[in-house]
Amino acid sequence: MEKNDPKAKAEDSQPKTIEQFLRERERIDSILQKEFKKEITILFTDICGYTEYMEKRGDLSGRAMLQKHNDILFPVIEKHDGVVIKTIGDAVMATFSTPLAAVKAASEIQKGLYRHHLKAGVGDRIRVKIGVNTGDALMDGGDVFGDAVNVAARIQSKAKEDQILVSKRVYEEVCGSDEVLCRLHEKVQVKGKAQPIQLYRVVWKDEDVVLEVESKVRAGAGMAQKEGRRSREVLHLEVTREGNRIKLCAYEQKPGEANTIQHYEETSVSMDWVKTRCREMVETLNKVNRRGLISSEILKRLREIGQVFSDELFTLNVKEKLKNSEAEHMILNLDDQLVHVPWELFYDGQQFLCQRFSMGRLVKTRQAVGERRTRVFARPLKMLVLADPGGDLKGAYDEGTRIRDTMDLNKDLVNTTLRSGSITPDFIKKKIRNFDLIHFAGHSDYDPQRPGESGWRLTGGSLKAGDITKMAGTGAMPALIFSNACQSARTEEWGLRETFQEEIFGLANVFLLAGVKHYVGTFWEIMDEP
């Protein structure tokens, strides 16, 4: 239709109604949504103290720092399929197709800068803070706009140097990954939001443990005054061996207290007799079926062996202290020649010790114990459940799913990842340090003649004790490993030969020496379904 066409002029002169404009607006909005709106993850970085650095060192030095910063950041962003949208002075804005890619890029950026710090002078270190958010945004002409972008920038502004902070939406997308560890940070008020938003901190490097004056022994909910017991009292039982003589010391104290002097008693016992009773206990436990059901005959036998142990190893005074104690918790302080004794199954005529008390062991060993690097415990803890790696233990798989489902009732406390089926030794070696808690349910092997060959049976091989030894000293290990596997708690006494410092005595021994803080294992045989 030509410009001067009378018909066109007539149409232009027709009055427009509000309804027509609204329909036209709806059509345009639909086009904008379809063509320009997209769910995207936005990452913002900012160099801490850059303005001050420029004032002190000058423009040329400031430009050199910025160039080095870009040389480190840009390849990492590209490696994770990110796109640098723009730089704003010393800040960078980049987008990623997934939250996981953005978080992995952020972690690698901080690690790359840390490596740069090791070579650079103190004044030339580049410290950045990073914020990540995900959501719908408008993309036009290579730029990105919208609320998700604004929130990402504000999250970055709340971070401190070397920190990576992410939104709750990002956390929920990445928490199931076995490569990312996040901690609850804080709720913050940001501009443009009526309610505070929850932030999470990405842990990209090992963190030192916080040493506390008072050790913490906690009872479960509602147990503080159960049966009139004083939950603050802890019963200590110290046992050491010198030849065929055993020294015992039993006393109660509150956490944080220390007595300057303690009374101990001695008793004589044949260590050959102890080894025979230990073997009887293991053989009896091996008769327990894989569901953990104990027949009355087996239970009777366990009580008999446990009572004989108590009769022979405990003095009358120790028995009285155990009987009269109102403590809920017991700490066994053992030397390395007595770790193979099943103290938890000693029987006092009424109960096994593990029924009377919540028990834990502290072991003194002549083996070399390297530096222990443990992350700070903070919410949410990250847990890995390894269930039925061989695919032949249905009960182990059911155990894993029950643990995951139970933990999922409180995801703010524990974030749980379940793996089953294909679990290789290489996977464990690479990923174990990304978790605070490990639960293993499957087969394990124990060879008393070659303890270094003992280990978890996995897909395509075993994670052997010798492999775990190599993990020591190269990063923070999990705080707790629970190994519900055949004979995973079996051990020989530690350190009897001249070569004891280089020896392995079982999974508990090697995991603890590798840096795991707590180890719980079972030592009954898990049999296949009939």
Side-chain angles (χ1 to χ4, degrees):
M1 195 175 292
E2 294 185 10
K3 185 175 181 180
N4 296 322
D5 189 334
K7 186 177 180 181
K9 291 181 178 180
E11 289 179 355
D12 289 340
S13 64
Q14 293 295 320
K16 297 288 186 180
T17 66
I18 292 178
E19 288 82 1
Q20 288 175 308
F21 280 116
L22 290 176
R23 291 191 187 98
E24 184 65 11
R25 177 184 174 182
E26 183 178 356
R27 184 181 70 83
I28 294 172
D29 285 345
S30 177
I31 294 173
L32 288 172
Q33 293 280 348
K34 183 178 180 180
E35 299 296 330
F36 298 96
K37 195 171 186 179
K38 183 179 179 182
E39 183 174 278
I40 200 76
T41 299
I42 305 99
L43 176 148
F44 272 97
T45 74
D46 185 56
I47 300 177
C48 301
Y50 182 69
T51 301
E52 182 181 356
Y53 182 86
M54 290 271 285
E55 290 175 353
K56 288 183 177 180
R57 305 288 289 271
D59 294 344
L60 189 58
S61 294
R63 187 64 183 85
M65 170 186 273
L66 193 59
Q67 185 61 54
K68 184 63 180 179
H69 164 272
N70 294 347
D71 289 343
I72 293 173
L73 267 66
F74 289 5
V76 173
I77 292 170
E78 182 179 349
K79 173 184 173 182
H80 292 277
D81 297 323
V83 177
V84 175
I85 299 299
K86 56 187 172 184
T87 59
I88 311 163
D90 59 313
V92 173
M93 173 184 172
T95 60
F96 296 82
S97 58
T98 67
L100 182 58
V103 170
K104 290 170 69 174
S107 296
E108 192 169 332
I109 285 170
Q110 294 289 21
K111 292 175 183 177
L113 292 171
Y114 178 75
R115 289 192 293 271
H116 168 68
H117 297 169
L118 299 178
K119 303 174 183 176
V122 175
D124 293 319
R125 292 176 180 174
I126 306 171
R127 319 298 288 264
V128 305
K129 51 185 182 178
I130 301 177
V132 184
N133 186 38
T134 192
D136 291 334
L138 291 176
M139 306 188 69
D140 179 39
D143 208 344
V144 185
F145 309 90
D147 181 65
V149 178
N150 296 334
V151 172
R154 306 238 160 79
I155 291 173
Q156 176 263 114
S157 71
K158 299 295 182 180
K160 298 178 182 178
E161 64 178 29
D162 302 334
Q163 274 191 343
I164 304 168
L165 296 183
V166 303
S167 64
K168 185 175 182 179
R169 173 79 181 278
V170 171
Y171 167 74
E172 290 172 344
E173 292 288 334
V174 305
C175 66
S177 170
D178 51 40
E179 299 180 80
V180 177
L181 176 62
C182 296
R183 299 298 196 201
L184 197 65
H185 186 60
E186 62 180 347
K187 284 187 176 182
V188 299
Q189 189 70 54
V190 298
K191 185 178 178 181
K193 294 292 180 183
Q195 299 296 325
I197 63 172
Q198 179 66 63
L199 300 183
Y200 292 79
R201 177 175 55 86
V202 178
V203 179
W204 60 270
K205 64 178 179 179
D206 290 344
E207 299 171 292
D208 294 333
V209 67
V210 175
L211 299 178
E212 298 178 350
V213 175
E214 180 178 311
S215 60
K216 294 183 178 179
V217 182
R218 297 177 179 171
M223 292 291 292
Q225 301 297 329
K226 185 178 179 182
E227 297 177 356
R229 291 183 178 182
R230 300 187 303 275
S231 63
R232 296 280 293 169
E233 295 292 331
V234 178
L235 178 63
H236 292 258
L237 179 61
E238 296 183 0
V239 193
T240 58
R241 172 189 160 194
E242 292 183 4
N244 283 333
R245 298 193 66 78
I246 288 180
K247 294 181 179 180
L248 301 109
C249 178
Y251 59 93
E252 287 187 6
Q253 67 181 29
K254 293 179 180 180
E257 289 183 348
N259 297 328
T260 56
I261 189 169
Q262 295 287 356
H263 169 72
Y264 72 84
E265 299 176 279
E266 288 188 352
T267 183
S268 298
V269 64
S270 164
M271 295 313 298
D272 288 337
W273 179 91
V274 171
K275 289 181 179 179
T276 300
R277 300 293 83 75
C278 289
R279 185 166 57 250
E280 289 176 357
M281 185 71 81
V282 170
E283 289 171 353
T284 303
L285 286 168
N286 279 344
K287 296 176 183 177
V288 178
N289 75 18
R290 64 179 303 273
R291 296 183 184 86
L293 299 178
I294 302 177
S295 68
S296 58
E297 181 181 348
I298 292 175
L299 184 59
K300 179 182 177 182
R301 182 60 177 152
L302 291 175
R303 287 171 176 166
E304 290 174 348
I305 301 171
Q307 190 151 15
V308 169
F309 261 128
S310 295
D311 292 341
E312 291 293 324
L313 299 188
F314 286 163
T315 64
L316 182 61
N317 185 46
V318 168
K319 291 176 185 176
E320 285 296 315
K321 287 189 175 181
L322 292 175
K323 178 181 177 182
N324 297 325
S325 175
E326 295 181 341
E328 291 183 27
H329 307 276
M330 173 189 281
I331 294 178
L332 288 168
N333 296 273
L334 307 172
D335 73 20
D336 52 12
Q337 300 177 80
L338 296 170
V339 293
H340 60 300
V341 179
W343 302 94
E344 292 81 359
L345 294 179
F346 281 27
Y347 192 71
D348 64 4
Q350 299 293 326
Q351 291 177 299
F352 295 105
L353 287 187
C354 62
Q355 292 178 304
R356 280 276 324 271
F357 305 98
S358 297
M359 299 180 67
R361 293 183 172 201
L362 299 177
V363 180
K364 296 178 181 178
T365 178
R366 288 167 287 173
Q367 291 175 290
V369 179
E371 180 186 6
R372 304 177 70 83
R373 306 171 67 185
T374 306
R375 282 184 295 268
V376 176
F377 252 28
R379 293 176 23 181
L381 301 176
K382 194 168 179 68
M383 181 177 189
L384 176 62
V385 178
L386 304 168
D388 189 21
D392 58 349
L393 288 173
K394 183 178 182 299
Y397 177 77
D398 292 342
E399 175 184 322
T401 57
R402 287 196 301 272
I403 290 173
R404 179 203 58 197
D405 294 344
T406 300
M407 295 301 179
D408 282 351
L409 296 175
N410 195 344
K411 289 187 176 182
D412 287 339
L413 180 61
V414 181
N415 170 237
T416 305
T417 299
L418 171 66
R419 287 186 68 96
S420 184
S422 181
I423 304 171
T424 65
D426 281 344
F427 170 82
I428 303 294
K429 294 174 187 177
K430 292 176 182 176
K431 307 299 184 183
I432 191 171
R433 293 182 182 87
N434 295 336
F435 295 87
D436 302 300
L437 315 171
I438 305 285
H439 182 98
F440 179 82
H443 291 292
S444 74
D445 299 306
Y446 176 74
D447 186 341
Q449 303 304 318
R450 298 184 303 165
E453 296 298 307
S454 303
W456 289 340
R457 272 191 256 166
L458 303 172
T459 307
S462 296
L463 180 70
K464 298 180 179 179
D467 298 324
I468 300 166
T469 300
K470 298 175 183 177
M471 298 181 187
T474 55
M477 291 290 280
L480 169 68
I481 289 182
F482 191 110
S483 183
N484 190 15
C486 46
Q487 307 189 71
S488 60
R490 286 286 302 277
T491 182
E492 304 303 306
E493 54 186 282
W494 301 358
L496 293 181
R497 294 168 285 273
E498 293 181 359
T499 57
F500 68 86
Q501 290 180 320
E502 301 173 357
E503 291 190 59
I504 296 170
F505 300 98
L507 285 175
N509 173 254
V510 74
F511 269 123
L512 293 171
L513 291 176
V516 174
K517 192 171 184 181
H518 305 285
Y519 179 89
V520 180
T522 54
F523 54 96
W524 49 79
E525 181 180 357
I526 296 180
M527 300 173 287
D528 294 336
E529 292 278 8

